[in-house]
Structure formats: structure tokens, C-alpha cells
Amino acid sequence: DKIESQHDLVVEKNNEIIDSINYAQKIQSALLPTESFISELINESFILFRPKDIVSGDFYWIKRVKQYVILAAGDCTGHGVPGAFMSMLGMSYLNEIVHRREITQANQVLNELRKLIKNSLRQHGNPDESKDGIDMALCVIDEKNRFLQYAGANNPLYLIRNTSGDPKLIEFKADRMPLGYYQGKFNTFTNNDIQLEHGDEFYLFSDGFVEQKGGGEGKKFLSKNFKKLLQEIHEEPMQEQKNILDKTITDLMGDNSQIDDILVMGVSV
């Protein structure tokens, strides 16, 4: 009787926790941009978003300011509830920096975001402080001049350009520092200026896809396979690319569990 009573109590408490997290997921989903809103700003795009748990430490964000469309893919420390708290902080500060203050230079957005995160988490370099932060790829599309700015905190940008039927994947590397706690020197983030050409496609992502393990030996998918896959499917419509990526990661996992949140954003110019 005592064991049954303890079991019932555990089940009850577990259900309460799951119900609470499910409600939190509704709040987080309400803060993420809807597909219809994204399609108003970018005609050809996709977002593959697969949280590891009910709520996610990965998030995506998009806003228009004048002739610029700013989009970001963020990967917060951890996943689940702690990651979700950080994601809401990141989205809130991006709204402050871009929407209210109208900062539209990619690296300056990251510089300002880093300041706000460090201040809000009281990160001054002391051992007992929070070590949380956000990795991010952020792009600014200048629709008038067909120009792209990219700045990255640990997360790179891949651009595929089809030249005479020969698709080339160009990797724009991120600065090796996060938005938040960092033991090294806080340099300004690099602003990469890219003149876009018709047919260009670019991808922002967290590390969840390439870090996922699967197959008979439980090996990671790895960046080289991710790059190869993107080159193979880049001529497909954006939604079909999403479906292929989704099926690829599902097949890879098989009976293995998902080890991290997964986020991939694709945009066709």
C-alpha cells in the first residue's frame, strides 16, 4: 500500500510538472514568429524546428525595419526549461535593439545583445556567476540593394551559389565567442558584407542537426555531411528541402533519442 501510495504521488507530481511545461510551450510558441508572418517578409524560406523537450533553447526571430529584414537563429545554453528562459530573454532583447532602437547593422545588433545579456545575468567574470549565454547567426537582408550582412556568435552561415550549374557552398565563419559569459577578450563581432545574386540560398542553424547521433555505431551527423546534403537538395523548393532535412534526421535517429534542440532556417533569394 505504501509503495502504491508513493507511486501515485510521483505520477501526480509528474503530471503537474508536464502540464506546467506544456503551458509554458504555448507561451513560447506565441512569441515565435508564425509561418504566415515570415512568408510576408520572405517569400521563399523554411524553418525546421524540433525541440528536444517540450520547450526549446533554440529559437528563431525575424523583423522588418524600413528596407531591411533581420532574421536570427539562436541556440541558448541548455535545452528544456532553462534554455526556454534564455530564449525568451534573447527574443525580448532583439525586439528592443532592432524594433525599438532600429539598429540594423548585424554585428552591432550582436554587440548590443551581448551587453544586455551580460548585464541582465550580472556576468562580471566572478566564479559564482551564471555562465549562460546564446550562440547565434544573425542576418540583415537589404532588399533594395540585394545585399546581405551576417554576424555570428559561434554559429556560421552557409551560402550556396549556383555558378554555371556548379553549386558552391561558401561558409562564413562565426566569431568564436558567445553572447554572454566568455573567458576571452570581448572583441566586437565581425560584420560580413555579401552582395547577393539571383538564386542564392543561405542557411542559419544551431548545432543540433550536426551533433545528432544515430546509425548502427551512434556517430554524429557532422558538418561535412550537412554541407553535402544542402548542396544536393538546394535546387528543390524550400518546403521540400525542409521535408528532406526532417526525414534525414528522423532516419538517422532511428531508435536513438534526440540529444539537443534542432533548428535550421533556409532562405532563397
Short mmCIF file of all heavy atoms in Angstrom, two decimals, residues 137-190:
data_model
loop_
_atom_site.label_atom_id
_atom_site.label_comp_id
_atom_site.label_asym_id
_atom_site.label_seq_id
_atom_site.Cartn_x
_atom_site.Cartn_y
_atom_site.Cartn_z
N ALA A 137 23.38 33.03 -35.18
CA ALA A 137 23.68 33.53 -36.52
C ALA A 137 22.61 34.56 -36.84
O ALA A 137 21.41 34.28 -36.71
CB ALA A 137 23.65 32.40 -37.54
N LEU A 138 23.04 35.76 -37.22
CA LEU A 138 22.10 36.85 -37.48
C LEU A 138 22.38 37.47 -38.84
O LEU A 138 23.55 37.76 -39.17
CB LEU A 138 22.19 37.91 -36.39
CG LEU A 138 21.18 39.06 -36.49
CD1 LEU A 138 20.60 39.38 -35.11
CD2 LEU A 138 21.81 40.31 -37.10
N CYS A 139 21.33 37.65 -39.64
CA CYS A 139 21.46 38.22 -40.98
C CYS A 139 20.57 39.44 -41.14
O CYS A 139 19.48 39.52 -40.56
CB CYS A 139 21.07 37.19 -42.04
SG CYS A 139 22.24 35.85 -42.22
N VAL A 140 21.04 40.38 -41.93
CA VAL A 140 20.26 41.56 -42.29
C VAL A 140 20.18 41.59 -43.82
O VAL A 140 21.22 41.70 -44.49
CB VAL A 140 20.90 42.85 -41.77
CG1 VAL A 140 20.07 44.07 -42.20
CG2 VAL A 140 21.04 42.82 -40.25
N ILE A 141 18.98 41.48 -44.36
CA ILE A 141 18.77 41.49 -45.80
C ILE A 141 18.34 42.89 -46.22
O ILE A 141 17.32 43.41 -45.76
CB ILE A 141 17.68 40.49 -46.23
CG1 ILE A 141 18.00 39.09 -45.70
CG2 ILE A 141 17.53 40.46 -47.74
CD1 ILE A 141 16.86 38.10 -45.89
N ASP A 142 19.14 43.51 -47.07
CA ASP A 142 18.81 44.82 -47.66
C ASP A 142 18.11 44.53 -48.99
O ASP A 142 18.76 44.24 -50.00
CB ASP A 142 20.08 45.63 -47.87
CG ASP A 142 19.80 47.02 -48.44
OD1 ASP A 142 18.69 47.25 -48.96
OD2 ASP A 142 20.71 47.87 -48.38
N GLU A 143 16.78 44.56 -48.97
CA GLU A 143 16.01 44.18 -50.16
C GLU A 143 16.21 45.17 -51.30
O GLU A 143 16.19 44.78 -52.47
CB GLU A 143 14.53 44.07 -49.80
CG GLU A 143 14.23 42.97 -48.80
CD GLU A 143 12.75 42.85 -48.50
OE1 GLU A 143 12.10 43.91 -48.33
OE2 GLU A 143 12.25 41.73 -48.41
N LYS A 144 16.42 46.42 -50.97
CA LYS A 144 16.56 47.45 -52.01
C LYS A 144 17.83 47.24 -52.82
O LYS A 144 17.83 47.37 -54.05
CB LYS A 144 16.57 48.84 -51.36
CG LYS A 144 16.66 49.98 -52.35
CD LYS A 144 16.62 51.32 -51.62
CE LYS A 144 16.73 52.48 -52.60
NZ LYS A 144 16.71 53.79 -51.89
N ASN A 145 18.93 46.90 -52.14
CA ASN A 145 20.24 46.78 -52.80
C ASN A 145 20.69 45.33 -52.96
O ASN A 145 21.84 45.10 -53.36
CB ASN A 145 21.28 47.58 -52.01
CG ASN A 145 20.96 49.05 -51.96
OD1 ASN A 145 20.81 49.70 -53.00
ND2 ASN A 145 20.83 49.60 -50.76
N ARG A 146 19.82 44.38 -52.64
CA ARG A 146 20.15 42.94 -52.73
C ARG A 146 21.49 42.66 -52.04
O ARG A 146 22.42 42.11 -52.62
CB ARG A 146 20.18 42.47 -54.19
CG ARG A 146 18.85 42.58 -54.88
CD ARG A 146 18.91 42.05 -56.30
NE ARG A 146 19.20 40.62 -56.33
CZ ARG A 146 18.29 39.66 -56.15
NH1 ARG A 146 17.03 39.98 -55.90
NH2 ARG A 146 18.63 38.40 -56.22
N PHE A 147 21.52 43.05 -50.78
CA PHE A 147 22.75 42.96 -50.01
C PHE A 147 22.45 42.23 -48.71
O PHE A 147 21.36 42.35 -48.14
CB PHE A 147 23.27 44.37 -49.72
CG PHE A 147 24.74 44.44 -49.43
CD1 PHE A 147 25.67 44.35 -50.45
CD2 PHE A 147 25.20 44.59 -48.13
CE1 PHE A 147 27.03 44.42 -50.19
CE2 PHE A 147 26.55 44.66 -47.86
CZ PHE A 147 27.48 44.57 -48.89
N LEU A 148 23.43 41.45 -48.24
CA LEU A 148 23.25 40.68 -47.01
C LEU A 148 24.39 40.97 -46.04
O LEU A 148 25.56 40.96 -46.43
CB LEU A 148 23.22 39.18 -47.33
CG LEU A 148 23.06 38.21 -46.15
CD1 LEU A 148 21.64 38.29 -45.59
CD2 LEU A 148 23.36 36.77 -46.57
N GLN A 149 24.04 41.24 -44.80
CA GLN A 149 25.02 41.31 -43.73
C GLN A 149 24.86 40.06 -42.85
O GLN A 149 23.74 39.62 -42.60
CB GLN A 149 24.80 42.53 -42.84
CG GLN A 149 24.91 43.87 -43.53
CD GLN A 149 24.55 44.97 -42.55
OE1 GLN A 149 25.04 45.02 -41.42
NE2 GLN A 149 23.68 45.86 -42.97
N TYR A 150 25.98 39.53 -42.40
CA TYR A 150 25.93 38.40 -41.48
C TYR A 150 26.93 38.63 -40.35
O TYR A 150 28.07 39.06 -40.56
CB TYR A 150 26.26 37.08 -42.19
CG TYR A 150 26.81 36.03 -41.25
CD1 TYR A 150 25.99 35.37 -40.34
CD2 TYR A 150 28.18 35.74 -41.23
CE1 TYR A 150 26.51 34.45 -39.44
CE2 TYR A 150 28.71 34.81 -40.35
CZ TYR A 150 27.86 34.16 -39.46
OH TYR A 150 28.38 33.25 -38.57
N ALA A 151 26.50 38.32 -39.14
CA ALA A 151 27.39 38.29 -37.98
C ALA A 151 27.02 37.05 -37.17
O ALA A 151 25.84 36.70 -37.05
CB ALA A 151 27.25 39.55 -37.14
N GLY A 152 28.03 36.40 -36.61
CA GLY A 152 27.78 35.16 -35.90
C GLY A 152 28.50 35.06 -34.58
O GLY A 152 29.67 35.43 -34.48
N ALA A 153 27.80 34.55 -33.58
CA ALA A 153 28.39 34.21 -32.29
C ALA A 153 28.43 32.69 -32.21
O ALA A 153 27.43 32.05 -31.88
CB ALA A 153 27.56 34.79 -31.15
N ASN A 154 29.55 32.12 -32.64
CA ASN A 154 29.80 30.68 -32.67
C ASN A 154 29.06 29.92 -33.78
O ASN A 154 29.47 28.81 -34.13
CB ASN A 154 29.48 30.01 -31.32
CG ASN A 154 30.52 30.32 -30.25
OD1 ASN A 154 31.70 30.44 -30.56
ND2 ASN A 154 30.08 30.45 -29.01
N ASN A 155 28.00 30.47 -34.33
CA ASN A 155 27.22 29.78 -35.36
C ASN A 155 27.47 30.41 -36.74
O ASN A 155 27.21 31.60 -36.94
CB ASN A 155 25.73 29.83 -35.04
CG ASN A 155 25.36 28.91 -33.89
OD1 ASN A 155 26.22 28.19 -33.37
ND2 ASN A 155 24.11 28.92 -33.48
N PRO A 156 27.96 29.61 -37.71
CA PRO A 156 28.29 30.14 -39.04
C PRO A 156 27.08 30.31 -39.94
O PRO A 156 25.94 29.98 -39.57
CB PRO A 156 29.22 29.05 -39.61
CG PRO A 156 28.69 27.79 -39.00
CD PRO A 156 28.25 28.16 -37.61
N LEU A 157 27.34 30.82 -41.13
CA LEU A 157 26.33 30.95 -42.18
C LEU A 157 26.82 30.18 -43.40
O LEU A 157 27.99 30.28 -43.78
CB LEU A 157 26.13 32.42 -42.55
CG LEU A 157 25.25 32.70 -43.78
CD1 LEU A 157 23.78 32.59 -43.40
CD2 LEU A 157 25.53 34.09 -44.35
N TYR A 158 25.93 29.40 -44.02
CA TYR A 158 26.25 28.72 -45.27
C TYR A 158 25.47 29.39 -46.40
O TYR A 158 24.26 29.60 -46.28
CB TYR A 158 25.84 27.24 -45.23
CG TYR A 158 26.63 26.38 -44.27
CD1 TYR A 158 26.19 25.10 -43.95
CD2 TYR A 158 27.82 26.83 -43.69
CE1 TYR A 158 26.90 24.29 -43.07
CE2 TYR A 158 28.54 26.03 -42.81
CZ TYR A 158 28.07 24.76 -42.50
OH TYR A 158 28.78 23.96 -41.63
N LEU A 159 26.16 29.71 -47.47
CA LEU A 159 25.53 30.28 -48.66
C LEU A 159 25.85 29.38 -49.85
O LEU A 159 27.01 29.02 -50.07
CB LEU A 159 26.02 31.70 -48.91
CG LEU A 159 25.36 32.44 -50.10
CD1 LEU A 159 25.13 33.91 -49.75
CD2 LEU A 159 26.22 32.35 -51.37
N ILE A 160 24.82 29.01 -50.60
CA ILE A 160 25.01 28.19 -51.80
C ILE A 160 24.73 29.05 -53.02
O ILE A 160 23.65 29.64 -53.15
CB ILE A 160 24.10 26.94 -51.80
CG1 ILE A 160 24.50 26.00 -50.65
CG2 ILE A 160 24.19 26.21 -53.13
CD1 ILE A 160 23.68 24.73 -50.57
N ARG A 161 25.73 29.12 -53.91
CA ARG A 161 25.62 29.92 -55.13
C ARG A 161 25.85 29.00 -56.33
O ARG A 161 26.86 28.31 -56.40
CB ARG A 161 26.65 31.05 -55.11
CG ARG A 161 26.67 31.92 -56.34
CD ARG A 161 27.43 33.20 -56.06
NE ARG A 161 26.71 34.05 -55.12
CZ ARG A 161 27.24 35.13 -54.53
NH1 ARG A 161 28.51 35.45 -54.76
NH2 ARG A 161 26.51 35.87 -53.72
N ASN A 162 24.89 28.99 -57.22
CA ASN A 162 24.94 28.10 -58.39
C ASN A 162 25.55 28.87 -59.56
O ASN A 162 24.92 29.73 -60.16
CB ASN A 162 23.54 27.61 -58.75
CG ASN A 162 23.58 26.35 -59.59
OD1 ASN A 162 24.55 26.09 -60.29
ND2 ASN A 162 22.50 25.58 -59.54
N THR A 163 26.80 28.55 -59.86
CA THR A 163 27.51 29.21 -60.95
C THR A 163 27.68 28.24 -62.11
O THR A 163 28.41 27.26 -62.01
CB THR A 163 28.90 29.70 -60.47
OG1 THR A 163 28.73 30.53 -59.32
CG2 THR A 163 29.59 30.48 -61.56
N SER A 164 26.97 28.52 -63.21
CA SER A 164 27.05 27.68 -64.41
C SER A 164 26.77 26.21 -64.10
O SER A 164 27.47 25.30 -64.56
CB SER A 164 28.43 27.82 -65.08
OG SER A 164 28.68 29.17 -65.41
N GLY A 165 25.74 25.97 -63.29
CA GLY A 165 25.35 24.60 -62.97
C GLY A 165 26.21 23.91 -61.95
O GLY A 165 26.05 22.71 -61.71
N ASP A 166 27.15 24.64 -61.36
CA ASP A 166 28.06 24.05 -60.38
C ASP A 166 27.84 24.73 -59.02
O ASP A 166 28.39 25.81 -58.77
CB ASP A 166 29.51 24.23 -60.84
CG ASP A 166 30.51 23.57 -59.90
OD1 ASP A 166 30.09 22.67 -59.16
OD2 ASP A 166 31.68 23.98 -59.90
N PRO A 167 27.04 24.13 -58.15
CA PRO A 167 26.73 24.78 -56.88
C PRO A 167 27.94 24.80 -55.94
O PRO A 167 28.59 23.78 -55.72
CB PRO A 167 25.61 23.91 -56.30
CG PRO A 167 25.80 22.57 -56.93
CD PRO A 167 26.35 22.84 -58.30
N LYS A 168 28.23 25.96 -55.42
CA LYS A 168 29.33 26.13 -54.48
C LYS A 168 28.77 26.52 -53.12
O LYS A 168 27.94 27.43 -53.01
CB LYS A 168 30.31 27.21 -54.95
CG LYS A 168 30.96 26.95 -56.30
CD LYS A 168 31.97 25.82 -56.23
CE LYS A 168 32.71 25.68 -57.56
NZ LYS A 168 33.65 24.53 -57.55
N LEU A 169 29.22 25.83 -52.08
CA LEU A 169 28.83 26.21 -50.72
C LEU A 169 29.94 27.06 -50.12
O LEU A 169 31.09 26.63 -50.04
CB LEU A 169 28.57 24.97 -49.86
CG LEU A 169 27.98 25.24 -48.48
CD1 LEU A 169 27.05 24.11 -48.05
CD2 LEU A 169 29.06 25.46 -47.42
N ILE A 170 29.57 28.26 -49.74
CA ILE A 170 30.51 29.20 -49.13
C ILE A 170 30.17 29.31 -47.65
O ILE A 170 29.03 29.60 -47.28
CB ILE A 170 30.42 30.59 -49.79
CG1 ILE A 170 30.58 30.48 -51.32
CG2 ILE A 170 31.45 31.54 -49.21
CD1 ILE A 170 30.17 31.72 -52.06
N GLU A 171 31.17 29.06 -46.81
CA GLU A 171 30.95 29.15 -45.36
C GLU A 171 31.51 30.48 -44.84
O GLU A 171 32.68 30.79 -45.05
CB GLU A 171 31.63 28.00 -44.63
CG GLU A 171 31.47 28.08 -43.11
CD GLU A 171 32.10 26.91 -42.38
OE1 GLU A 171 32.62 26.00 -43.05
OE2 GLU A 171 32.07 26.92 -41.13
N PHE A 172 30.65 31.23 -44.18
CA PHE A 172 31.08 32.45 -43.50
C PHE A 172 31.20 32.10 -42.02
O PHE A 172 30.20 31.81 -41.35
CB PHE A 172 30.08 33.58 -43.73
CG PHE A 172 30.02 34.02 -45.16
CD1 PHE A 172 29.15 33.41 -46.06
CD2 PHE A 172 30.85 35.03 -45.63
CE1 PHE A 172 29.10 33.81 -47.39
CE2 PHE A 172 30.81 35.43 -46.96
CZ PHE A 172 29.94 34.82 -47.84
N LYS A 173 32.40 32.11 -41.54
CA LYS A 173 32.67 31.64 -40.18
C LYS A 173 32.23 32.65 -39.13
O LYS A 173 32.28 33.87 -39.35
CB LYS A 173 34.16 31.32 -40.02
CG LYS A 173 34.63 30.16 -40.90
CD LYS A 173 36.06 29.78 -40.59
CE LYS A 173 36.52 28.62 -41.49
NZ LYS A 173 35.75 27.40 -41.21
N ALA A 174 31.81 32.11 -38.00
CA ALA A 174 31.38 32.95 -36.89
C ALA A 174 32.56 33.34 -36.02
O ALA A 174 33.62 32.72 -36.07
CB ALA A 174 30.36 32.19 -36.04
N ASP A 175 32.40 34.39 -35.25
CA ASP A 175 33.37 34.72 -34.21
C ASP A 175 33.24 33.70 -33.09
O ASP A 175 32.13 33.33 -32.69
CB ASP A 175 33.11 36.13 -33.67
CG ASP A 175 33.41 37.20 -34.70
OD1 ASP A 175 34.55 37.24 -35.19
OD2 ASP A 175 32.51 37.99 -35.02
N ARG A 176 34.37 33.24 -32.57
CA ARG A 176 34.37 32.19 -31.55
C ARG A 176 34.16 32.78 -30.17
O ARG A 176 35.03 32.76 -29.30
CB ARG A 176 35.67 31.38 -31.61
CG ARG A 176 35.98 30.77 -32.96
CD ARG A 176 34.83 29.94 -33.50
NE ARG A 176 34.49 28.83 -32.62
CZ ARG A 176 33.43 28.08 -32.76
NH1 ARG A 176 32.54 28.33 -33.71
NH2 ARG A 176 33.20 27.09 -31.93
N MET A 177 33.01 33.34 -29.99
CA MET A 177 32.61 33.86 -28.68
C MET A 177 31.09 33.94 -28.64
O MET A 177 30.44 34.19 -29.68
CB MET A 177 33.24 35.23 -28.40
CG MET A 177 33.07 36.26 -29.49
SD MET A 177 34.02 37.75 -29.16
CE MET A 177 33.69 38.71 -30.65
N PRO A 178 30.49 33.68 -27.47
CA PRO A 178 29.04 33.67 -27.37
C PRO A 178 28.49 35.04 -27.01
O PRO A 178 29.23 36.00 -26.80
CB PRO A 178 28.81 32.68 -26.23
CG PRO A 178 29.97 32.94 -25.32
CD PRO A 178 31.14 33.28 -26.21
N LEU A 179 27.19 35.11 -26.91
CA LEU A 179 26.51 36.28 -26.37
C LEU A 179 26.29 36.02 -24.88
O LEU A 179 25.34 35.36 -24.48
CB LEU A 179 25.17 36.49 -27.08
CG LEU A 179 25.27 36.69 -28.60
CD1 LEU A 179 23.91 36.52 -29.26
CD2 LEU A 179 25.86 38.05 -28.93
N GLY A 180 27.19 36.50 -24.08
CA GLY A 180 27.13 36.23 -22.65
C GLY A 180 28.51 35.95 -22.10
O GLY A 180 29.52 36.47 -22.59
N TYR A 181 28.55 35.11 -21.08
CA TYR A 181 29.80 34.81 -20.38
C TYR A 181 30.86 34.29 -21.34
O TYR A 181 30.59 33.45 -22.19
CB TYR A 181 29.55 33.78 -19.29
CG TYR A 181 30.81 33.27 -18.63
CD1 TYR A 181 31.45 34.01 -17.64
CD2 TYR A 181 31.38 32.06 -19.03
CE1 TYR A 181 32.61 33.55 -17.04
CE2 TYR A 181 32.54 31.59 -18.43
CZ TYR A 181 33.15 32.34 -17.44
OH TYR A 181 34.31 31.88 -16.86
N TYR A 182 32.10 34.80 -21.17
CA TYR A 182 33.20 34.41 -22.06
C TYR A 182 34.50 34.72 -21.34
O TYR A 182 34.68 35.81 -20.80
CB TYR A 182 33.10 35.18 -23.38
CG TYR A 182 34.20 34.89 -24.37
CD1 TYR A 182 34.42 33.60 -24.84
CD2 TYR A 182 35.00 35.92 -24.86
CE1 TYR A 182 35.44 33.34 -25.75
CE2 TYR A 182 36.00 35.67 -25.79
CZ TYR A 182 36.21 34.38 -26.23
OH TYR A 182 37.20 34.12 -27.14
N GLN A 183 35.42 33.74 -21.34
CA GLN A 183 36.68 33.93 -20.61
C GLN A 183 37.69 34.78 -21.39
O GLN A 183 38.60 35.33 -20.80
CB GLN A 183 37.30 32.56 -20.30
CG GLN A 183 36.54 31.77 -19.23
CD GLN A 183 37.22 30.47 -18.89
OE1 GLN A 183 37.79 29.82 -19.76
NE2 GLN A 183 37.15 30.07 -17.63
N GLY A 184 37.53 34.84 -22.72
CA GLY A 184 38.48 35.60 -23.52
C GLY A 184 38.16 37.08 -23.57
O GLY A 184 37.32 37.59 -22.84
N LYS A 185 38.82 37.76 -24.49
CA LYS A 185 38.63 39.20 -24.66
C LYS A 185 37.36 39.46 -25.46
O LYS A 185 37.07 38.79 -26.44
CB LYS A 185 39.82 39.79 -25.41
CG LYS A 185 39.77 41.30 -25.55
CD LYS A 185 41.00 41.83 -26.29
CE LYS A 185 40.93 43.34 -26.45
NZ LYS A 185 42.11 43.86 -27.20
N PHE A 186 36.59 40.45 -25.02
CA PHE A 186 35.32 40.77 -25.69
C PHE A 186 35.58 41.73 -26.85
O PHE A 186 35.47 42.94 -26.72
CB PHE A 186 34.34 41.38 -24.69
CG PHE A 186 33.70 40.37 -23.79
CD1 PHE A 186 34.20 40.16 -22.51
CD2 PHE A 186 32.64 39.60 -24.22
CE1 PHE A 186 33.63 39.21 -21.68
CE2 PHE A 186 32.06 38.65 -23.39
CZ PHE A 186 32.55 38.46 -22.12
N ASN A 187 35.92 41.16 -28.00
CA ASN A 187 36.09 41.97 -29.20
C ASN A 187 34.74 42.24 -29.83
O ASN A 187 33.74 41.56 -29.56
CB ASN A 187 36.98 41.23 -30.20
CG ASN A 187 38.39 41.03 -29.68
OD1 ASN A 187 38.99 41.95 -29.13
ND2 ASN A 187 38.92 39.82 -29.83
N THR A 188 34.70 43.23 -30.71
CA THR A 188 33.47 43.48 -31.45
C THR A 188 33.25 42.32 -32.43
O THR A 188 34.20 41.71 -32.92
CB THR A 188 33.54 44.82 -32.20
OG1 THR A 188 32.27 45.06 -32.83
CG2 THR A 188 34.62 44.80 -33.27
N PHE A 189 32.00 42.01 -32.69
CA PHE A 189 31.70 40.95 -33.65
C PHE A 189 31.99 41.42 -35.07
O PHE A 189 31.90 42.61 -35.37
CB PHE A 189 30.23 40.52 -33.53
CG PHE A 189 29.96 39.68 -32.31
CD1 PHE A 189 29.47 40.27 -31.14
CD2 PHE A 189 30.20 38.32 -32.31
CE1 PHE A 189 29.22 39.50 -30.02
CE2 PHE A 189 29.96 37.55 -31.19
CZ PHE A 189 29.47 38.15 -30.04
N THR A 190 32.35 40.48 -35.93
CA THR A 190 32.70 40.79 -37.32
C THR A 190 31.44 40.95 -38.15
O THR A 190 30.50 40.15 -38.03
CB THR A 190 33.55 39.66 -37.92
OG1 THR A 190 34.71 39.47 -37.10
CG2 THR A 190 33.99 40.00 -39.33
#
